[in-house]
Amino acid sequence: MDSKVPLKQAKTAAPVTTKGLAELDVRTGMQAAALKQAVTDHLRYSIGRLQVVTTPHDYYYALALAVRDRMQQRWINTSQTYFDLNRKIVCYLSAEFLMGPHLGNNLLNLGIEQEARTALAELGQDLDTVLECEEEPGLGNGGLGRLAACYLDSLATLQRPAIGYGIRYEFGIFDQEIHDGWQTEITDKWLRYGNPWEIAKPEVVYYVNWGGHTEHYRDVAGNDRIRWVPYRVVKGTAYDTPIQGYDVNNCNTLRLWSAEAVESFNFQAFNIGDYYQAVDDKVISETVTKVLYPNDEPQIGKRLRLGQQYFFVSCSLQDMLHILDLVGVPIENFAQRYAVQLNDTHPSIGVAELMRLLVDERQLDWDKAWAITVQTFGYTNHTLLPEALETWPLSMFQALLPRHLEIIYEINRYFLDEVRARFPGDDARVARMSLIGEEGEKCVRMAHLATVGSHAINGVAALHSDLLKASVLKDFYEMWPERFGNKTNGVTPRRFLALANPGLRALLNEALGEQWPVDLEQLHQLEAQADDVAFRREWRAVKEANKKRLADYIRAHTGIELDPSWLFDIQVKRIHEYKRQHLNVLHIVTLYRRLKENPALKIPPRAFIFGGKAAPGYFMAKRIIKLINAVAETINTDPDVNMCMKVAFVPNFNVQNAQLIYPAANLSEQISTAGKEASGTGNMKFMLNGALTIGTLDGANVEIREEVGAENFFLFGLTAEEVERIKREGHRPADYVASNPELRAVLELINSGHFSRGNAEVFRPVVDNLIYSDPFLVLADYATYVACQERVSAAWQDKENWTRMSILNTARSGKFSSDRAIREYCDEIWNVQAVTVKL
């Protein structure tokens, strides 16, 4: 089956004709003819391009503007409807929104993909070529930002009023290039050609204070008040992007803030010849939103990151208050109009900032302001790794946010009094729960602030939520068990199946009808087809076409040739030791050694495909990338083994190439150390597209296995409880090496320089880390992982049964729709109802 089957399979656009064009609305018409004229008009009037020099990128930009026009009326009507009906709105605060390319998704959600294809064909252009021209907004680091994007898609599709608030980074997550096997970071200039999807709102600006000091004064009524006298003020300007729901008129808003100087040019400094001072404020102010997540190893990086978080949170909360004023709602009703969700700890300064705005700016009394604050906020925790629970040095926090530190001290005073009353004489508990960490350098504990200031706290998978209550937030759970719950993550089936896998979309439409993208539980009906030989044949044809599409992409970007008939074994995600890409490599080297030592050995041909970025300052993760590429170079050029195994690293993993990768996978590697992955969403995207999972009982893997059935999941490894027991009793990784000759030989081969052109020093840090530390128990799980991979190879050789298991994975993936997750948030935490928008 052709992998480029039109998305709206059941619908054929009429040929473009100029007859009756005057009767079409070129701005809003959904017909191919109207789109063709709109694109032509935008090329001429918006872009100003001569026909002879027009490029596919120009057609992309013109089509994007034409599509945005069609969203505009929906966008305006949506906002007006929400305000007219006085409905509660979700405000989703996230430091990351990894939206992915907009054009294809908006065409899909508006139902005009085929019309756009026809219109462009009449103009001599191919839609797929034009779609590839879009510069992906790199406004996220990984799963956290992509989850936020999925949730915005679901909120709009489910017709729930919502605004996403974040940062308009001028430079996003770096582009990754691979040179001699090493990751090289290249500046992500995603705005260099402009962004047709956003609309600048220069009239929507708020002022954000930094530094300085506070002073006490009495107001006109004689009340004691505190005034913040800042050292610097930065201006935040709004940039809005429409978020169109699928097959509905609702079009919500993503509002991103860009930092600017209050005054960009100092004429007095310029006139006396101090040219640098003349633009100094502009340079310093714009630094705040210059780049996604600066390297926070140095102190100045930490300060900038804290500044970024406060900047966007303050702008967002000021915006909410301003909207409340516009519609004439009393400030006391703030929590009845807004449900504010903290996406991890990054926006948790919002608890102190809302208190400052209510107490200092709106002059509410403390108790009333605190009641509003707690009723307003919900907090989603995304990690069990202690180092990822943000803390800020007290001295830095005080220098940047002196008023907020005072407020946090006051919150802490009231809170610890409550703890002492509840648990009298338990000073150790008081110290553990304090918002201020006293051990070593004093710090502000942001996860504690978020927990104390929120009426609902949730993890993102059943196992993660249980571990959260038993470990990092155990004391808080014992204090407020009613506040804690679970909301297992989900992914949008529109982007990650309907858009990414048009061949499977067409097959599903034929089998189920066209409503499954908004009711993913309908996929259960596929179970009846799993035993149908003809259906399995069609299923394999779709998968084969997707694998060919990915193989073409990998060849174009790496030069590596992959055979689409091989098993595609894929691990794509952020490179981190706990995600254990190096465990995958140890298995690959194990197979390589076996083949070299026994040329007669037969194994099912397999392509091992990796992708992911390492944080620029993460030494070990970058070394793992080098190891993957070094092993790939050796294996791919060795005729003794490259007829049955190859390795490829896909550079610059992002949403755009993920849409090629997920549909092509036969096997999904979800092999993190049990108890370390909060949930994962890549595991869900692979499952949705029919990949089988090899994995540990970690994160959402537990629930995936429950849904699909143990017989359709390749399980290995220690459980979270076993991991903790081994660490408690004393983990001795060298013992695993001593007792397993094959493991020892694999590590020695890597250490010998065999994969590094004789340089034995390159991978010594990786091997030494495993033998002498192994913090994520790679060696403890090695033997069971290799044995499990042998079960994978055996299963792969039964093509009919593998296909059956693949179909069942898709059929039983309905739980992992972001629509299900958002319904749970709306019904159980936010109390936000659906609102129908009419045109």
Side-chain angles (χ1 to χ4, degrees), residues 224-235:
D224 287 324
R225 298 286 178 188
I226 297 177
R227 180 188 297 117
W228 183 6
V229 183
Y231 170 73
R232 182 178 298 280
V233 179
V234 177
K235 182 171 71 174

Side-chain angles (χ1 to χ4, degrees), residues 251-267:
C251 187
N252 288 338
T253 299
L254 171 62
R255 175 161 285 183
L256 303 177
W257 301 103
S258 181
E260 301 174 6
V262 175
E263 291 294 339
S264 296
F265 193 79
N266 185 334
F267 263 110

